[in-house]
Amino acid sequence: MPVEPLSFIVIPLTLALGVLLALAAAYDFVVFRRRKSKNESVYRCRDCRHIYTELHRTPLARCPKCGRQNEPVRE
Ligand SMILES: [Zn+2]
């Protein structure tokens, strides 16, 4: 039974995607844990995915990268 050439692309791609997702989850975890130790809110931009913090809790905070107003990720 010949191995399909497609699996040479799909399997590494799936592995790479899994690693990226794990890194993203780890990054989120670190950001949220760091946020707990300080009195600041975490925001994630819906446009460019940039994660940033504001010292004072505001309902909306402007993304430093693209300028979009975002709501805090967690209370
Ligand atoms: Zn942004």
Short mmCIF file of all heavy atoms in Angstrom, two decimals, residues 10-64:
data_model
loop_
_atom_site.label_atom_id
_atom_site.label_comp_id
_atom_site.label_asym_id
_atom_site.label_seq_id
_atom_site.Cartn_x
_atom_site.Cartn_y
_atom_site.Cartn_z
N VAL A 10 0.24 17.00 5.35
CA VAL A 10 -0.78 17.18 6.38
C VAL A 10 -0.24 16.87 7.77
O VAL A 10 -0.50 17.62 8.71
CB VAL A 10 -2.01 16.29 6.06
CG1 VAL A 10 -2.98 16.31 7.23
CG2 VAL A 10 -2.68 16.75 4.79
N ILE A 11 0.53 15.81 7.91
CA ILE A 11 1.00 15.41 9.24
C ILE A 11 1.94 16.45 9.86
O ILE A 11 1.72 16.89 10.98
CB ILE A 11 1.64 14.01 9.19
CG1 ILE A 11 0.55 12.96 8.91
CG2 ILE A 11 2.36 13.68 10.49
CD1 ILE A 11 1.08 11.58 8.63
N PRO A 12 3.00 16.90 9.15
CA PRO A 12 3.85 17.96 9.73
C PRO A 12 3.08 19.25 9.99
O PRO A 12 3.32 19.94 10.97
CB PRO A 12 4.93 18.18 8.67
CG PRO A 12 4.92 16.96 7.84
CD PRO A 12 3.52 16.45 7.85
N LEU A 13 2.12 19.55 9.11
CA LEU A 13 1.33 20.77 9.27
C LEU A 13 0.49 20.68 10.54
O LEU A 13 0.39 21.64 11.30
CB LEU A 13 0.41 20.94 8.05
CG LEU A 13 0.00 22.38 7.73
CD1 LEU A 13 1.22 23.17 7.26
CD2 LEU A 13 -1.08 22.39 6.67
N THR A 14 -0.12 19.52 10.77
CA THR A 14 -0.92 19.33 11.97
C THR A 14 -0.05 19.43 13.22
O THR A 14 -0.44 20.05 14.21
CB THR A 14 -1.60 17.95 11.93
OG1 THR A 14 -2.27 17.81 10.67
CG2 THR A 14 -2.60 17.80 13.06
N LEU A 15 1.15 18.85 13.15
CA LEU A 15 2.07 18.92 14.28
C LEU A 15 2.48 20.36 14.57
O LEU A 15 2.47 20.81 15.72
CB LEU A 15 3.31 18.07 14.01
CG LEU A 15 3.12 16.56 14.16
CD1 LEU A 15 4.37 15.82 13.68
CD2 LEU A 15 2.82 16.19 15.60
N ALA A 16 2.81 21.10 13.51
CA ALA A 16 3.21 22.50 13.67
C ALA A 16 2.08 23.33 14.27
O ALA A 16 2.28 24.17 15.14
CB ALA A 16 3.63 23.07 12.32
N LEU A 17 0.86 23.05 13.79
CA LEU A 17 -0.31 23.77 14.29
C LEU A 17 -0.54 23.47 15.77
O LEU A 17 -0.85 24.37 16.56
CB LEU A 17 -1.54 23.34 13.48
CG LEU A 17 -2.62 24.41 13.31
CD1 LEU A 17 -2.09 25.56 12.47
CD2 LEU A 17 -3.85 23.81 12.67
N GLY A 18 -0.35 22.22 16.15
CA GLY A 18 -0.50 21.82 17.56
C GLY A 18 0.50 22.52 18.44
O GLY A 18 0.17 23.01 19.52
N VAL A 19 1.75 22.61 17.96
CA VAL A 19 2.81 23.29 18.72
C VAL A 19 2.46 24.76 18.87
O VAL A 19 2.60 25.34 19.95
CB VAL A 19 4.17 23.10 18.03
CG1 VAL A 19 5.22 24.02 18.65
CG2 VAL A 19 4.62 21.65 18.13
N LEU A 20 1.99 25.38 17.79
CA LEU A 20 1.63 26.80 17.84
C LEU A 20 0.49 27.05 18.83
O LEU A 20 0.52 28.01 19.59
CB LEU A 20 1.21 27.29 16.45
CG LEU A 20 2.36 27.63 15.50
CD1 LEU A 20 1.83 27.99 14.13
CD2 LEU A 20 3.17 28.80 16.06
N LEU A 21 -0.51 26.16 18.81
CA LEU A 21 -1.63 26.30 19.73
C LEU A 21 -1.16 26.16 21.18
O LEU A 21 -1.59 26.89 22.06
CB LEU A 21 -2.71 25.25 19.43
CG LEU A 21 -3.62 25.61 18.24
CD1 LEU A 21 -4.52 24.44 17.90
CD2 LEU A 21 -4.47 26.83 18.58
N ALA A 22 -0.26 25.20 21.41
CA ALA A 22 0.27 24.99 22.77
C ALA A 22 1.04 26.23 23.22
O ALA A 22 0.91 26.66 24.37
CB ALA A 22 1.16 23.76 22.78
N LEU A 23 1.82 26.82 22.32
CA LEU A 23 2.57 28.03 22.65
C LEU A 23 1.62 29.19 22.96
O LEU A 23 1.84 29.94 23.91
CB LEU A 23 3.50 28.41 21.49
CG LEU A 23 4.79 27.60 21.39
CD1 LEU A 23 5.55 27.98 20.12
CD2 LEU A 23 5.67 27.83 22.60
N ALA A 24 0.57 29.30 22.16
CA ALA A 24 -0.41 30.37 22.39
C ALA A 24 -1.09 30.19 23.74
O ALA A 24 -1.29 31.16 24.48
CB ALA A 24 -1.45 30.37 21.28
N ALA A 25 -1.44 28.95 24.08
CA ALA A 25 -2.08 28.67 25.36
C ALA A 25 -1.13 28.99 26.52
O ALA A 25 -1.53 29.59 27.52
CB ALA A 25 -2.52 27.21 25.43
N ALA A 26 0.15 28.63 26.35
CA ALA A 26 1.14 28.91 27.39
C ALA A 26 1.33 30.41 27.56
O ALA A 26 1.43 30.92 28.68
CB ALA A 26 2.46 28.25 27.03
N TYR A 27 1.33 31.13 26.43
CA TYR A 27 1.49 32.57 26.48
C TYR A 27 0.31 33.22 27.21
O TYR A 27 0.49 34.08 28.06
CB TYR A 27 1.59 33.11 25.05
CG TYR A 27 1.84 34.60 24.96
CD1 TYR A 27 3.04 35.14 25.42
CD2 TYR A 27 0.88 35.45 24.44
CE1 TYR A 27 3.27 36.49 25.34
CE2 TYR A 27 1.11 36.81 24.36
CZ TYR A 27 2.30 37.32 24.81
OH TYR A 27 2.52 38.66 24.74
N ASP A 28 -0.90 32.78 26.90
CA ASP A 28 -2.10 33.26 27.58
C ASP A 28 -1.99 33.01 29.08
O ASP A 28 -2.27 33.88 29.89
CB ASP A 28 -3.34 32.55 27.05
CG ASP A 28 -3.96 33.32 25.89
OD1 ASP A 28 -3.36 34.31 25.45
OD2 ASP A 28 -5.04 32.93 25.45
N PHE A 29 -1.56 31.81 29.43
CA PHE A 29 -1.46 31.43 30.84
C PHE A 29 -0.50 32.36 31.57
O PHE A 29 -0.79 32.86 32.65
CB PHE A 29 -0.98 29.97 30.94
CG PHE A 29 -0.83 29.48 32.33
CD1 PHE A 29 -1.95 29.20 33.11
CD2 PHE A 29 0.42 29.29 32.88
CE1 PHE A 29 -1.81 28.75 34.40
CE2 PHE A 29 0.57 28.84 34.17
CZ PHE A 29 -0.55 28.56 34.94
N VAL A 30 0.66 32.61 30.96
CA VAL A 30 1.67 33.47 31.57
C VAL A 30 1.13 34.88 31.73
O VAL A 30 1.27 35.51 32.78
CB VAL A 30 2.96 33.47 30.72
CG1 VAL A 30 3.90 34.58 31.17
CG2 VAL A 30 3.65 32.12 30.84
N VAL A 31 0.47 35.40 30.69
CA VAL A 31 -0.06 36.76 30.73
C VAL A 31 -1.11 36.89 31.83
O VAL A 31 -1.10 37.84 32.61
CB VAL A 31 -0.65 37.16 29.36
CG1 VAL A 31 -1.50 38.42 29.49
CG2 VAL A 31 0.47 37.38 28.36
N PHE A 32 -2.01 35.93 31.92
CA PHE A 32 -3.08 36.02 32.92
C PHE A 32 -2.53 35.87 34.33
O PHE A 32 -3.01 36.49 35.26
CB PHE A 32 -4.14 34.96 32.66
CG PHE A 32 -4.99 35.29 31.47
CD1 PHE A 32 -5.29 34.32 30.52
CD2 PHE A 32 -5.50 36.56 31.29
CE1 PHE A 32 -6.06 34.62 29.42
CE2 PHE A 32 -6.27 36.87 30.19
CZ PHE A 32 -6.55 35.90 29.25
N ARG A 33 -1.50 35.04 34.48
CA ARG A 33 -0.96 34.85 35.81
C ARG A 33 -0.19 36.09 36.25
O ARG A 33 -0.22 36.47 37.41
CB ARG A 33 -0.03 33.62 35.83
CG ARG A 33 -0.11 32.89 37.14
CD ARG A 33 0.66 31.61 37.09
NE ARG A 33 2.05 31.83 36.69
CZ ARG A 33 3.01 30.95 36.92
NH1 ARG A 33 2.73 29.83 37.53
NH2 ARG A 33 4.23 31.19 36.54
N ARG A 34 0.50 36.72 35.29
CA ARG A 34 1.23 37.93 35.61
C ARG A 34 0.25 39.04 35.98
O ARG A 34 0.50 39.86 36.84
CB ARG A 34 2.05 38.36 34.39
CG ARG A 34 3.05 39.44 34.72
CD ARG A 34 3.77 39.88 33.46
NE ARG A 34 4.47 38.79 32.81
CZ ARG A 34 4.78 38.79 31.51
NH1 ARG A 34 4.43 39.78 30.75
NH2 ARG A 34 5.44 37.78 30.98
N ARG A 35 -0.90 39.04 35.32
CA ARG A 35 -1.91 40.07 35.55
C ARG A 35 -2.46 39.98 36.96
O ARG A 35 -2.77 40.98 37.58
CB ARG A 35 -3.04 39.90 34.53
CG ARG A 35 -4.10 40.98 34.64
CD ARG A 35 -5.45 40.36 34.93
NE ARG A 35 -6.32 41.31 35.59
CZ ARG A 35 -7.50 40.97 36.08
NH1 ARG A 35 -7.91 39.74 35.98
NH2 ARG A 35 -8.24 41.85 36.69
N LYS A 36 -2.56 38.76 37.50
CA LYS A 36 -3.12 38.57 38.84
C LYS A 36 -2.27 39.24 39.91
O LYS A 36 -2.77 39.70 40.91
CB LYS A 36 -3.23 37.07 39.15
CG LYS A 36 -4.59 36.50 38.79
CD LYS A 36 -4.68 35.04 39.23
CE LYS A 36 -5.98 34.42 38.75
NZ LYS A 36 -6.02 32.98 39.04
N SER A 37 -0.94 39.25 39.69
CA SER A 37 -0.06 39.80 40.71
C SER A 37 -0.12 41.32 40.72
O SER A 37 0.25 41.95 41.71
CB SER A 37 1.37 39.33 40.47
OG SER A 37 1.79 39.77 39.20
N LYS A 38 -0.57 41.93 39.62
CA LYS A 38 -0.65 43.38 39.56
C LYS A 38 -2.12 43.79 39.49
O LYS A 38 -2.99 42.97 39.28
CB LYS A 38 0.08 43.92 38.34
CG LYS A 38 1.57 43.68 38.37
CD LYS A 38 2.18 44.21 37.08
CE LYS A 38 3.64 43.81 36.98
NZ LYS A 38 4.17 44.15 35.65
N ASN A 39 -2.34 45.08 39.64
CA ASN A 39 -3.70 45.58 39.53
C ASN A 39 -3.90 46.20 38.16
O ASN A 39 -3.99 47.41 38.00
CB ASN A 39 -3.97 46.62 40.64
CG ASN A 39 -5.42 47.03 40.64
OD1 ASN A 39 -6.28 46.27 40.17
ND2 ASN A 39 -5.70 48.21 41.14
N GLU A 40 -3.96 45.34 37.15
CA GLU A 40 -4.13 45.85 35.81
C GLU A 40 -5.02 44.91 35.00
O GLU A 40 -5.18 43.75 35.35
CB GLU A 40 -2.79 46.05 35.12
CG GLU A 40 -1.97 44.78 35.04
CD GLU A 40 -0.57 45.04 34.51
OE1 GLU A 40 -0.09 46.18 34.62
OE2 GLU A 40 0.03 44.11 33.99
N SER A 41 -5.58 45.45 33.95
CA SER A 41 -6.48 44.68 33.11
C SER A 41 -5.75 44.23 31.84
O SER A 41 -4.91 44.94 31.33
CB SER A 41 -7.70 45.50 32.73
OG SER A 41 -8.42 45.84 33.90
N VAL A 42 -6.15 43.04 31.38
CA VAL A 42 -5.56 42.50 30.15
C VAL A 42 -6.54 42.70 29.00
O VAL A 42 -7.73 42.42 29.13
CB VAL A 42 -5.23 41.01 30.31
CG1 VAL A 42 -4.71 40.43 29.00
CG2 VAL A 42 -4.22 40.81 31.42
N TYR A 43 -6.03 43.18 27.90
CA TYR A 43 -6.85 43.38 26.70
C TYR A 43 -6.23 42.60 25.56
O TYR A 43 -5.01 42.51 25.45
CB TYR A 43 -6.91 44.86 26.31
CG TYR A 43 -7.50 45.73 27.39
CD1 TYR A 43 -6.71 46.19 28.43
CD2 TYR A 43 -8.84 46.09 27.37
CE1 TYR A 43 -7.23 46.98 29.42
CE2 TYR A 43 -9.37 46.88 28.36
CZ TYR A 43 -8.57 47.32 29.39
OH TYR A 43 -9.09 48.11 30.38
N ARG A 44 -7.10 42.05 24.71
CA ARG A 44 -6.59 41.42 23.50
C ARG A 44 -7.27 42.06 22.30
O ARG A 44 -8.51 42.09 22.23
CB ARG A 44 -6.87 39.92 23.51
CG ARG A 44 -6.35 39.26 22.23
CD ARG A 44 -6.71 37.83 22.12
NE ARG A 44 -6.07 37.05 23.17
CZ ARG A 44 -6.08 35.73 23.20
NH1 ARG A 44 -6.68 35.06 22.27
NH2 ARG A 44 -5.51 35.09 24.19
N CYS A 45 -6.46 42.56 21.40
CA CYS A 45 -7.01 43.24 20.23
C CYS A 45 -7.71 42.23 19.33
O CYS A 45 -7.18 41.17 19.03
CB CYS A 45 -5.88 43.94 19.47
SG CYS A 45 -6.49 44.86 18.06
N ARG A 46 -8.93 42.59 18.90
CA ARG A 46 -9.69 41.68 18.03
C ARG A 46 -9.19 41.75 16.59
O ARG A 46 -9.47 40.87 15.79
CB ARG A 46 -11.17 42.04 18.05
CG ARG A 46 -11.84 41.58 19.32
CD ARG A 46 -13.33 41.80 19.22
NE ARG A 46 -13.90 42.14 20.51
CZ ARG A 46 -15.12 42.63 20.65
NH1 ARG A 46 -15.86 42.86 19.60
NH2 ARG A 46 -15.59 42.89 21.84
N ASP A 47 -8.48 42.80 16.26
CA ASP A 47 -7.99 42.93 14.88
C ASP A 47 -6.63 42.28 14.69
O ASP A 47 -6.44 41.45 13.81
CB ASP A 47 -7.92 44.41 14.50
CG ASP A 47 -9.27 44.94 14.08
OD1 ASP A 47 -10.24 44.15 14.07
OD2 ASP A 47 -9.37 46.12 13.78
N CYS A 48 -5.64 42.65 15.55
CA CYS A 48 -4.27 42.19 15.30
C CYS A 48 -3.81 41.19 16.36
O CYS A 48 -2.65 40.78 16.33
CB CYS A 48 -3.32 43.37 15.23
SG CYS A 48 -3.12 44.25 16.80
N ARG A 49 -4.69 40.79 17.28
CA ARG A 49 -4.36 39.76 18.29
C ARG A 49 -3.29 40.21 19.28
O ARG A 49 -2.77 39.39 20.03
CB ARG A 49 -3.89 38.46 17.62
CG ARG A 49 -4.95 37.81 16.77
CD ARG A 49 -5.92 37.09 17.63
NE ARG A 49 -6.85 36.31 16.83
CZ ARG A 49 -7.92 35.73 17.32
NH1 ARG A 49 -8.17 35.81 18.60
NH2 ARG A 49 -8.75 35.06 16.58
N HIS A 50 -2.96 41.47 19.29
CA HIS A 50 -1.95 41.96 20.22
C HIS A 50 -2.52 41.95 21.64
O HIS A 50 -3.65 42.37 21.87
CB HIS A 50 -1.54 43.38 19.82
CG HIS A 50 -0.47 43.95 20.69
ND1 HIS A 50 0.77 43.37 20.83
CD2 HIS A 50 -0.47 45.05 21.50
CE1 HIS A 50 1.49 44.10 21.67
NE2 HIS A 50 0.77 45.11 22.10
N ILE A 51 -1.74 41.45 22.59
CA ILE A 51 -2.17 41.41 23.98
C ILE A 51 -1.44 42.52 24.73
O ILE A 51 -0.21 42.63 24.66
CB ILE A 51 -1.86 40.05 24.62
CG1 ILE A 51 -2.70 38.97 23.92
CG2 ILE A 51 -2.16 40.07 26.11
CD1 ILE A 51 -2.39 37.57 24.41
N TYR A 52 -2.21 43.35 25.43
CA TYR A 52 -1.62 44.46 26.16
C TYR A 52 -2.37 44.70 27.45
O TYR A 52 -3.44 44.14 27.66
CB TYR A 52 -1.59 45.72 25.29
CG TYR A 52 -2.95 46.17 24.81
CD1 TYR A 52 -3.61 47.23 25.41
CD2 TYR A 52 -3.58 45.51 23.76
CE1 TYR A 52 -4.85 47.63 24.97
CE2 TYR A 52 -4.82 45.90 23.32
CZ TYR A 52 -5.45 46.97 23.93
OH TYR A 52 -6.68 47.35 23.48
N THR A 53 -1.80 45.50 28.32
CA THR A 53 -2.41 45.72 29.63
C THR A 53 -2.57 47.21 29.88
O THR A 53 -1.87 48.04 29.31
CB THR A 53 -1.53 45.13 30.75
OG1 THR A 53 -0.24 45.69 30.66
CG2 THR A 53 -1.44 43.61 30.62
N GLU A 54 -3.53 47.53 30.75
CA GLU A 54 -3.72 48.89 31.20
C GLU A 54 -3.71 48.89 32.72
O GLU A 54 -4.30 48.02 33.36
CB GLU A 54 -5.08 49.43 30.70
CG GLU A 54 -5.08 49.82 29.24
CD GLU A 54 -4.34 51.13 28.98
OE1 GLU A 54 -4.40 52.04 29.82
OE2 GLU A 54 -3.69 51.22 27.92
N LEU A 55 -3.03 49.86 33.29
CA LEU A 55 -2.93 49.90 34.75
C LEU A 55 -4.28 50.21 35.38
O LEU A 55 -4.64 49.67 36.41
CB LEU A 55 -1.91 50.95 35.17
CG LEU A 55 -0.45 50.49 35.13
CD1 LEU A 55 0.48 51.64 35.42
CD2 LEU A 55 -0.21 49.37 36.13
N HIS A 56 -5.04 51.09 34.76
CA HIS A 56 -6.34 51.46 35.29
C HIS A 56 -7.42 50.73 34.50
O HIS A 56 -7.39 50.72 33.27
CB HIS A 56 -6.55 52.97 35.22
CG HIS A 56 -5.47 53.72 35.92
ND1 HIS A 56 -5.34 53.73 37.29
CD2 HIS A 56 -4.44 54.47 35.45
CE1 HIS A 56 -4.29 54.45 37.63
NE2 HIS A 56 -3.71 54.92 36.53
N ARG A 57 -8.36 50.13 35.22
CA ARG A 57 -9.41 49.38 34.55
C ARG A 57 -10.40 50.31 33.86
O ARG A 57 -11.06 51.11 34.49
CB ARG A 57 -10.16 48.51 35.57
CG ARG A 57 -11.22 47.67 34.91
CD ARG A 57 -11.75 46.65 35.87
NE ARG A 57 -10.71 45.68 36.20
CZ ARG A 57 -10.86 44.76 37.13
NH1 ARG A 57 -11.96 44.70 37.82
NH2 ARG A 57 -9.91 43.91 37.38
N THR A 58 -10.42 50.21 32.56
CA THR A 58 -11.36 51.01 31.78
C THR A 58 -12.19 50.07 30.91
O THR A 58 -11.72 48.99 30.55
CB THR A 58 -10.60 52.00 30.87
OG1 THR A 58 -9.62 51.29 30.14
CG2 THR A 58 -9.94 53.08 31.69
N PRO A 59 -13.43 50.45 30.59
CA PRO A 59 -14.26 49.58 29.75
C PRO A 59 -13.68 49.36 28.37
O PRO A 59 -13.88 48.31 27.77
CB PRO A 59 -15.61 50.31 29.67
CG PRO A 59 -15.38 51.67 30.21
CD PRO A 59 -14.16 51.64 31.06
N LEU A 60 -12.94 50.33 27.87
CA LEU A 60 -12.30 50.20 26.56
C LEU A 60 -10.87 50.73 26.66
O LEU A 60 -10.62 51.72 27.34
CB LEU A 60 -13.06 50.99 25.49
CG LEU A 60 -14.41 50.43 25.03
CD1 LEU A 60 -15.10 51.42 24.12
CD2 LEU A 60 -14.25 49.09 24.33
N ALA A 61 -9.95 50.05 25.97
CA ALA A 61 -8.57 50.52 25.92
C ALA A 61 -8.07 50.43 24.48
O ALA A 61 -8.38 49.46 23.78
CB ALA A 61 -7.68 49.71 26.84
N ARG A 62 -7.31 51.42 24.08
CA ARG A 62 -6.86 51.47 22.70
C ARG A 62 -5.64 50.58 22.49
O ARG A 62 -4.69 50.61 23.26
CB ARG A 62 -6.51 52.92 22.34
CG ARG A 62 -6.32 53.15 20.86
CD ARG A 62 -6.10 54.62 20.56
NE ARG A 62 -7.26 55.44 20.83
CZ ARG A 62 -8.28 55.61 19.98
NH1 ARG A 62 -8.25 55.03 18.81
NH2 ARG A 62 -9.31 56.35 20.29
N CYS A 63 -5.68 49.80 21.41
CA CYS A 63 -4.56 48.93 21.06
C CYS A 63 -3.37 49.78 20.65
O CYS A 63 -3.51 50.65 19.79
CB CYS A 63 -4.98 48.00 19.93
SG CYS A 63 -3.61 47.02 19.26
N PRO A 64 -2.19 49.54 21.26
CA PRO A 64 -1.01 50.34 20.90
C PRO A 64 -0.49 50.06 19.50
O PRO A 64 0.31 50.82 18.97
CB PRO A 64 0.03 49.94 21.95
CG PRO A 64 -0.42 48.61 22.44
CD PRO A 64 -1.92 48.58 22.32
#
